Amino acid sequence: MQDLNDMIFFAEVAERGSFTAAGRALGLPKSRLSRRVASLEAQLGVQLMQRSSRKLSLTQAGELYLRYCVEMRDAAQAAHEAIAQVQTEPHGTVRLSCPVTLAQSAMGPLLPGFMQRYPQVRVEMRVLNRPVDPVEDGVDIALRVRPQIEDSATLVAKTFGVSRLILVASPDQLRWQGPVLKPVDLSRLDTVSMSVGESQTSWRLEGPLGEVIVHSHEPRYMADDLLTLSFAVVQGTGAAMLPDYMCRAHLRAGRLVEILPGWGPPPGIAHAMFPARRALFPPVRHLLDFLSENLKVDGSYDFAG
């Protein structure tokens, strides 16, 4: 009897465009997937894929077969999720991706509370600063903070709030190097920056009346992690542009001072992107609901304290 898993493997390879991407999503070696698809072709007596060093393409038989494989896979997933929905206690694994700063400042403190509330749910979080495609990278939820939400035909967005980058410095630094009353005064301040390897970087700032300035500067200290930079800012090494949710506790305690209130780049929208059908899976749905209740990046919740 034909192994129905081979139909799922073929569908994943065909939809993701490579054995590597499908293997990453399924958690299987690409060599195993290649053998299983080749065995499937041998059983069917037809070639389903044209293989080259650059890409995969479906044959006419492959395109026809893919439609049935996708229907079978989706029906099996729907059956699994239907059973999961009638369970009183959600269980299973949720895979999500999260930018480094959001993980350190917000998700890190929050997720233990979710795990305590739902003890049968496992969470696998990838913390990384690169674009993540939920379908290609095999995650249920991709958390993002961007000025705009992607317009996608295959993914659904759920927003959690708006985050601002604000200019901050320590009170000691401003005593040493002078107050900043207008944008031109920024030139007297030492700065720190994420732009590792670049001798000069710039901040694009929009004013309260629509004015726009670009402040070019040579950072004294550079690191590719905002939390690391925030320690330097608090200790007076230099001014920086930091997310408001990261430095709000420092501002309240007087360890940091906001420079030029009302000036800054466009705000970022904290949101999740996910395939619509994954939101039917109870652990994913409960995590999305939990984040809607608790993940507030507009400053009304203190993640830094």
Side-chain angles (χ1 to χ4, degrees), residues 144-147 149 159-165 243-245 248 265-271 295-300 303:
R144 302 172 177 174
V145 182
R146 297 181 181 176
I149 296 177
T159 60
F160 303 117
V162 175
S163 170
R164 292 190 306 127
L165 286 173
D244 52 2
Y245 57 83
R248 193 160 300 277
I269 305 169
H271 62 285
L295 180 57
K296 298 177 176 60
V297 295
D298 56 4
S300 59
F303 299 114

Side-chain angles (χ1 to χ4, degrees), residues 187-233:
S187 60
R188 68 164 66 104
L189 295 184
D190 291 332
T191 60
V192 301
S193 173
M194 287 274 287
S195 301
V196 173
E198 299 181 12
S199 60
Q200 190 174 80
T201 187
S202 61
W203 295 329
R204 186 181 186 277
L205 306 173
E206 297 180 2
L209 300 178
E211 314 97 312
V212 176
I213 65 164
V214 177
H215 174 62
S216 297
H217 55 105
E218 295 184 5
R220 285 194 61 210
Y221 174 39
M222 291 166 285
D224 58 2
D225 175 66
L226 283 174
L227 184 60
T228 299
L229 288 177
S230 71
F231 295 126
V233 182

Side-chain angles (χ1 to χ4, degrees), residues 36-302:
R36 295 292 292 266
V37 172
S39 174
L40 178 62
E41 291 176 318
Q43 292 179 39
L44 295 173
V46 295
Q47 185 175 5
L48 300 174
M49 293 179 168
Q50 297 281 358
R51 299 164 176 81
S52 71
S53 59
R54 293 187 175 182
K55 66 176 183 177
L56 296 175
S57 59
L58 296 181
T59 63
Q60 184 176 1
E63 291 178 353
L64 176 64
Y65 193 64
L66 177 61
R67 292 203 297 269
Y68 293 98
C69 291
V70 169
E71 289 178 2
M72 186 275 295
R73 181 196 62 192
D74 291 348
Q77 182 66 36
H80 174 78
E81 291 170 355
I83 295 300
Q85 287 186 59
V86 303
Q87 295 173 334
T88 57
E89 182 71 20
H91 74 279
T93 300
V94 184
R95 298 174 177 85
L96 70 153
S97 65
C98 184
V100 173
T101 302
L102 190 63
Q104 293 172 338
S105 301
M107 293 298 292
L110 279 179
L111 277 179
F114 174 79
M115 308 296 290
Q116 291 172 5
R117 185 181 298 183
Y118 302 106
Q120 297 188 55
V121 175
R122 295 181 66 251
V123 174
E124 297 178 5
M125 184 166 69
R126 304 178 191 176
V127 181
L128 66 178
N129 280 334
R130 68 167 177 82
V132 173
D133 183 305
V135 176
E136 182 176 336
D137 290 291
V139 301
D140 300 303
I141 302 170
L143 296 177
R144 302 172 177 174
V145 182
R146 297 181 181 176
Q148 293 182 323
I149 296 177
E150 174 188 353
D151 185 9
S152 173
T154 59
L155 301 175
V156 177
K158 189 178 187 68
T159 60
F160 303 117
V162 175
S163 170
R164 292 190 306 127
L165 286 173
I166 57 177
L167 281 168
V168 290
S170 74
D172 286 341
Q173 182 186 2
L174 296 178
R175 280 193 291 270
W176 300 331
Q177 298 185 327
V180 177
L181 303 178
K182 49 188 181 297
V184 69
D185 296 335
L186 291 172
S187 60
R188 68 164 66 104
L189 295 184
D190 291 332
T191 60
V192 301
S193 173
M194 287 274 287
S195 301
V196 173
E198 299 181 12
S199 60
Q200 190 174 80
T201 187
S202 61
W203 295 329
R204 186 181 186 277
L205 306 173
E206 297 180 2
L209 300 178
E211 314 97 312
V212 176
I213 65 164
V214 177
H215 174 62
S216 297
H217 55 105
E218 295 184 5
R220 285 194 61 210
Y221 174 39
M222 291 166 285
D224 58 2
D225 175 66
L226 283 174
L227 184 60
T228 299
L229 288 177
S230 71
F231 295 126
V233 182
V234 169
Q235 295 182 55
T237 304
M241 195 176 292
L242 297 177
D244 52 2
Y245 57 83
M246 174 178 285
C247 54
R248 193 160 300 277
H250 293 305
L251 291 167
R252 285 203 300 263
R255 294 184 292 266
L256 290 179
V257 175
E258 183 174 359
I259 304 169
L260 297 177
W263 287 83
I269 305 169
H271 62 285
M273 299 293 292
F274 52 92
R277 64 185 178 85
R278 292 306 297 154
L280 299 176
F281 185 44
V284 173
R285 186 179 72 249
H286 281 78
L287 180 54
L288 288 169
D289 291 342
F290 180 85
L291 294 179
S292 291
E293 296 171 8
N294 298 281
L295 180 57
K296 298 177 176 60
V297 295
D298 56 4
S300 59
Y301 185 90
D302 175 20

